Amino acid sequence: MSERAYDQAYGLRRLFAHHTVHLLPVAANPFARGAHMLLEGLCHGFAAQDLHTLVVDAAPSPYTTGVDVAEAVARDLDLGQWIDPLDAHTCVLAASPTLAWFGEAPGSAALLFEALREAAPSADVIVFHADAALLSGLFAGRRVRPLIFAGDDAPSLTEAYAAIKILLQYAGLGEHAVVMDLATPTLGMPAAADRLAHCVQEFLGGTVHLEAIACTAVQSEADLARALHPLSTTLLHHALPFSLQDDEDAGWTGAARPVTAQVTPCAFN
């Protein structure tokens, strides 16, 4: 790190020594039809608690390549210039897949978190929306519960299962919060949620917590926000707290550690 970057990081640690930001990994699922509506509803839930959210969206997209965060940090550029406000409580940084670099080298994840904290100093929550492999590098070995979006169709369920498998196998994360987005409203526990929870427990040894049921195809924005409000509260208890304190460096080192247990695939029909 350059001398200027070191001085900035030190100054930030002093300035925000008592301000903790909560980091939340959200696994991208290209087959979850209402994923971005769910993300927005989650952010509305945080806003209802007067919390400010930065969404770092690194999910693959045909519409934008996103900013090269790794290069920007290496050049000591202010990431704030690429952050776009959505409303008074929510802003978004579209990031390229090079974000994965911060999960590869020891200590790099903390460098990323500090850079984001500097770019969005008012943020109380930073949501990382990315594929499971990228999230595994950033959150390997952390005490955090990732959020998984899933529909009740086979492709979406298979993708959700694959994400959980990667997060468990390569990051050691065995507890997962799931939001099930149904094609049509239903009463009671969706059968798809039961199948996903059973496969995760039986074949991966992990645990699925069904935190919310939505139906983005028919729900209004207000109804969706009400459905996801309890989720936003629960997720805060299982997010990863991060603050810029001088004595935290030792706790933010280490690369992803693979889990060597055999993992059996599970098909959803």
Side-chain angles (χ1 to χ4, degrees):
M1 185 187 300
S2 68
E3 182 177 350
R4 177 187 173 191
Y6 178 84
D7 289 342
Q8 288 179 334
Y10 180 78
L12 284 168
R13 291 173 202 266
R14 298 294 300 272
L15 182 60
F16 299 111
H18 303 291
H19 189 171
T20 298
V21 62
H22 291 82
L23 311 178
L24 176 62
V26 178
N29 187 337
F31 300 102
R33 296 173 295 272
H36 278 84
M37 293 179 64
L38 295 174
L39 268 179
E40 290 177 11
L42 176 63
C43 292
H44 290 158
F46 290 136
Q49 303 175 64
D50 198 27
L51 299 175
H52 292 80
T53 303
L54 168 64
V55 179
V56 180
D57 196 351
S61 169
Y63 307 108
T64 178
T65 56
V67 63
D68 187 334
V69 176
E71 180 181 3
V73 172
R75 294 174 58 190
D76 198 21
L77 301 178
D78 177 17
L79 293 176
Q81 63 186 302
W82 292 289
I83 293 178
D84 297 316
L86 290 183
D87 54 47
H89 284 81
T90 309
C91 54
V92 177
L93 171 66
S96 76
T98 61
L99 200 68
W101 178 86
F102 294 97
E104 297 172 356
S108 296
L111 179 64
L112 170 63
F113 300 152
E114 290 182 9
L116 293 171
R117 192 69 189 85
E118 177 185 0
S122 65
D124 302 294
V125 183
I126 300 180
V127 173
F128 293 85
H129 183 225
D131 64 52
L134 192 156
L135 295 176
S136 292
L138 293 180
F139 292 92
R142 315 298 189 194
R143 184 172 296 179
V144 65
R145 182 178 294 180
L147 177 61
I148 311 294
F149 292 143
D152 53 356
D153 59 293
S156 178
L157 284 169
T158 300
E159 184 72 17
Y161 177 84
I164 293 173
K165 172 182 174 180
I166 291 170
L167 289 164
L168 191 149
Q169 188 173 26
Y170 293 102
L173 305 179
E175 299 276 333
H176 301 270
V178 170
V179 173
M180 184 71 66
D181 186 14
L182 306 179
T184 57
T186 186
L187 296 176
M189 175 73 72
D194 274 336
R195 291 200 302 274
L196 179 62
H198 171 76
C199 284
V200 169
Q201 182 175 15
E202 181 73 15
F203 300 113
L204 303 181
T207 302
V208 162
H209 302 271
L210 182 63
E211 300 290 358
I213 299 173
C215 186
T216 58
V218 299
Q219 280 179 306
S220 67
E221 183 177 313
D223 288 341
L224 187 60
R226 282 192 292 270
L228 296 180
H229 179 75
L231 169 71
S232 64
T233 302
T234 300
L235 289 178
L236 282 180
H237 292 292
H238 300 286
L240 182 65
F242 178 76
S243 57
L244 305 176
Q245 297 185 23
D246 293 338
D247 59 355
E248 287 195 343
D249 288 344
W252 289 91
T253 58
R257 51 182 180 81
V259 175
T260 56
Q262 293 295 318
V263 178
T264 306
C266 180
F268 296 94
N269 299 313

